[in-house]
Every structure is written in structure tokens, then in C-alpha cells.
Amino acid sequence: MLLEKIISISGKPGLFKLVSQLRNGFIIEDVTSKKKISIGNSSQVSLLDNIAMFTFDKEVPLFEVFENIAKNYDYKEAIAHKSSDAELKEFMTASLPNYDTERVYASDIKKLAQWYNILHKAGYITPESFVKAESETLDPAQEGEEVTLTDKEAPKKVAPKAEKPVAPKAKASSGAKAATKSTHRKMG
């Protein structure tokens, strides 16, 4: 998937792509401006690949929701994140019909629309973006192992920690652990 190393950084607007690892941090690239900057290990980083949204029967990975939005909008820009709550709820219902209305808040839907539109503007939302390569499948023997972000494959999901689900703007974890170990977060 072309979206495998896209991150959100607490305190920084926009989305970023991980470029490389440094001794004390990472080099990242803004997905829209392509400007490269470095961040320290103490930055609170969330891999979009590790975020899921609640439905009444399961958790749906964020990129599956992005794919639904892309198909609904014919791979074009979606609703603005500053739309009314009613419009955002209608957008969410069309994108993920059985989303958990109790645990997915308006702020989560706004963040979803904003991130989708940022990725669209940066050229990441195309039909090819959602095609999974064979190399992305996880060998069952590797499941639960720590994976660094400098691996050629996308970071793998590990069993979710027993933690309270948080909105996408909250931190996943801090420091180097956030960048070297996949954490599973839920949106909503």
C-alpha cells in the first residue's frame, strides 16, 4: 500500500511521511509541501496504519475507511472538515455505515475528512493506493515482534494493548518506542 509510512505528529498540523531514521530521531517529509525536517525521539508520532475506527461489531482500519471514502467520492476530494456536524455525520454514515455513533465523535470525523483531503491533495488517493502487495502480508511467526520503521516493509500491527481507545489527535506513545514499535490505536 502506498500509504504505509504516513504519520501524524502531535502538535504539528498536517500529515508526514517517514523518510529515514537518525540516531536521535527521524527525518520526515510533509506530504503536501514535500519539505523535509527532522524530529526528535520525544515527538509523539502516530502511524495512520495503526489507527482504526469503531463500528458496532468490529474495528475497521483507517485505510479501509479511506478506501470507502475514495470510492464514494470517485477518488476526488471529500467533504471539508469544517462542515456542519450534520453533514459530517452523513459523510461518516456513507463512508462507514455501521460506525459506532457512541464512540466515534464529531472531532474524529473532522480529523478523518481532513486527513483524507490532505492525502488526496498530495496525490496519495488513487485506485492503486489501496492495492495491497504480497510483501505486506505478515508471517504468523513474526506476529507480535518489534519492527523498526526503517524496514523495507510497512510496520506490522501487533496485538492491541489493553488501553482506553483514544481520538487520533491523542498520542500513541512517546519517544523512540512510538517510532520503533507498532502500537494499535482506535479512533473514536
Side-chain angles (χ1 to χ4, degrees):
M1 179 176 282
L2 296 175
L3 304 170
E4 62 193 13
K5 291 188 177 182
I6 304 299
I7 61 170
S8 170
I9 302 171
S10 182
K12 289 190 180 287
L15 293 174
F16 303 88
K17 181 175 182 174
L18 288 167
V19 177
S20 67
Q21 187 171 358
L22 303 171
R23 178 179 293 184
N24 60 348
F26 298 90
I27 295 178
I28 58 170
E29 177 181 84
D30 184 295
V31 296
T32 51
S33 71
K34 304 294 185 202
K35 181 180 175 184
K36 292 181 182 176
I37 59 171
S38 64
I39 58 169
N41 284 337
S42 62
S43 296
Q44 301 188 2
V45 174
S46 300
L47 283 162
L48 268 57
D49 197 35
N50 293 338
I51 299 174
M53 295 196 78
F54 291 114
T55 65
F56 288 112
D57 46 318
K58 64 179 182 174
E59 298 164 10
V60 177
L62 188 59
F63 289 135
E64 284 184 32
V65 181
F66 284 156
E67 185 174 18
N68 293 345
I69 296 168
K71 288 177 181 175
N72 289 344
Y73 283 85
D74 198 28
Y75 296 92
K76 294 185 173 123
E77 191 169 330
I79 188 172
H81 69 282
K82 293 185 178 183
S83 299
S84 72
D85 284 354
E87 290 172 316
L88 288 166
K89 285 181 182 182
E90 185 178 314
F91 158 78
M92 191 66 207
T93 301
S95 304
L96 191 63
N98 60 341
Y99 81 97
D100 189 335
T101 55
E102 297 291 317
R103 298 193 293 177
V104 176
Y105 302 107
S107 59
D108 299 326
I109 301 169
K110 286 179 182 186
K111 186 64 72 175
L112 175 71
Q114 182 180 30
W115 284 352
Y116 174 87
N117 287 331
I118 288 171
L119 291 171
H120 178 270
K121 181 179 178 184
Y124 284 90
I125 303 295
T126 65
E128 296 79 29
S129 300
F130 300 102
V131 176
K132 292 188 177 186
E134 284 185 34
S135 66
E136 288 187 29
T137 59
L138 178 62
D139 178 356
Q142 294 176 336
E143 194 163 335
E145 289 183 11
E146 191 169 283
V147 178
T148 62
L149 294 178
T150 56
D151 287 350
K152 292 186 182 198
E153 292 185 1
K156 305 299 185 238
K157 294 182 183 177
V158 295
K161 293 181 181 178
E163 64 180 327
K164 182 180 173 188
V166 294
K169 61 187 169 222
K171 65 181 181 179
S173 64
S174 63
K177 288 182 182 178
T180 60
K181 187 173 183 179
S182 295
T183 57
H184 189 73
R185 289 200 20 232
K186 286 114 191 124
M187 201 169 176

